[in-house]
Amino acid sequence: IEDDYDGKLHLMTLSMIRDADTAADEEIIGLSFWREVPAEEMGDWFDVERISKMITKSTIQQECDNEISNHAKCRMELVRSSSINWIQNALTATDDEIETDKKATIEQVTHSATIDKLTHSWVKIELIAIKQSYRAHHLGNIILGCTLAKAEEHNQHAILHVAGGGASKNIPAAKLYGRFGFVSVPKHDEGGPFSKPDKDLFVLGNIGKALEELPLEETLQIK
């Protein structure tokens, strides 16, 4: 792990060491890069008014994965549901939050509380890459799992962009993220909650719950 900019930017590398005794001939075969997103940036990105409509119309998509057991599918569906439920919970101010500012209207407090809940504690995974000669060995699962475990130390939510044509074309990437509980969200002009860039976004609403609840042996594809 390498951190920069006061610990807000993170680089993780996956290496192959051919001689464990001397650590000689070390080769980097994979990496991930992610950053902690400031609340102000997330506030500019979110369209709060769209979120309730998105949930009401059930426009959040859940990826189908037929390569895992039914038990694993059930566990993954619970985690994916939490990626939707945390947004829904954030839309309603609690009695305590309303009590803290009696001079404000309920609508004002609700909006303020919603913004605060939705915009804090995010990471954006900018890149996950595996060296071409080492692909098809489930190393992407391992590096994503390690990335989320490290990110979860200080953050609750994760977002990423599926490159290469989105989930419909980059099917391996979509399956990888879906196995960790990420759900895809529609573009803004299709009712999605994010302003631009809004294309091919995947969201994980609760990193800790994903790591706790998912069947990691199947998620990581460990044989």
Side-chain angles (χ1 to χ4, degrees), residues 12 32 34 125 128 142-152:
M12 175 181 289
S32 67
W34 76 99
I125 300 175
I128 290 181
I142 294 173
I143 200 164
L144 178 57
C146 292
T147 296
L148 292 174
K150 184 65 178 178
E152 193 262 340

Side-chain angles (χ1 to χ4, degrees), residues 142-201:
I142 294 173
I143 200 164
L144 178 57
C146 292
T147 296
L148 292 174
K150 184 65 178 178
E152 193 262 340
E153 293 178 3
H154 304 290
N155 303 274
Q156 298 178 4
H157 322 299
I159 189 168
L160 54 81
H161 167 259
V162 178
S168 62
K169 293 184 178 180
N170 194 345
I171 296 175
K175 282 188 176 181
L176 169 63
Y177 305 135
R179 284 173 179 163
F180 280 88
F182 282 85
V183 293
S184 61
V185 294
K187 295 187 295 183
H188 188 263
D189 60 8
E190 296 173 354
F194 296 96
S195 56
K196 294 185 181 299
D198 62 342
K199 188 178 180 182
D200 304 322
L201 294 176

Side-chain angles (χ1 to χ4, degrees), residues 89-221:
N89 292 336
L91 294 174
T92 304
T94 65
D95 292 338
D96 290 339
E97 288 165 337
I98 296 174
E99 185 70 19
T100 59
D101 193 350
K102 294 182 178 179
K103 294 181 180 179
T105 66
I106 292 178
E107 290 78 10
Q108 288 172 330
V109 174
T110 300
H111 187 270
S112 175
T114 297
I115 292 295
D116 187 65
K117 288 179 180 179
L118 289 176
T119 59
H120 283 74
S121 199
W122 280 87
V123 294
K124 186 171 188 290
I125 300 175
E126 301 284 2
L127 176 68
I128 290 181
I130 301 295
K131 194 172 182 179
Q132 188 169 3
S133 56
Y134 287 91
R135 292 175 187 172
H137 296 288
H138 307 299
L139 298 179
N141 302 36
I142 294 173
I143 200 164
L144 178 57
C146 292
T147 296
L148 292 174
K150 184 65 178 178
E152 193 262 340
E153 293 178 3
H154 304 290
N155 303 274
Q156 298 178 4
H157 322 299
I159 189 168
L160 54 81
H161 167 259
V162 178
S168 62
K169 293 184 178 180
N170 194 345
I171 296 175
K175 282 188 176 181
L176 169 63
Y177 305 135
R179 284 173 179 163
F180 280 88
F182 282 85
V183 293
S184 61
V185 294
K187 295 187 295 183
H188 188 263
D189 60 8
E190 296 173 354
F194 296 96
S195 56
K196 294 185 181 299
D198 62 342
K199 188 178 180 182
D200 304 322
L201 294 176
F202 273 54
V203 169
L204 180 60
N206 191 323
I207 300 174
K209 186 175 182 64
L211 296 175
E212 179 182 346
E213 296 290 342
L214 287 175
L216 290 181
E217 183 171 326
E218 286 200 61
T219 302
L220 298 175
Q221 298 288 285

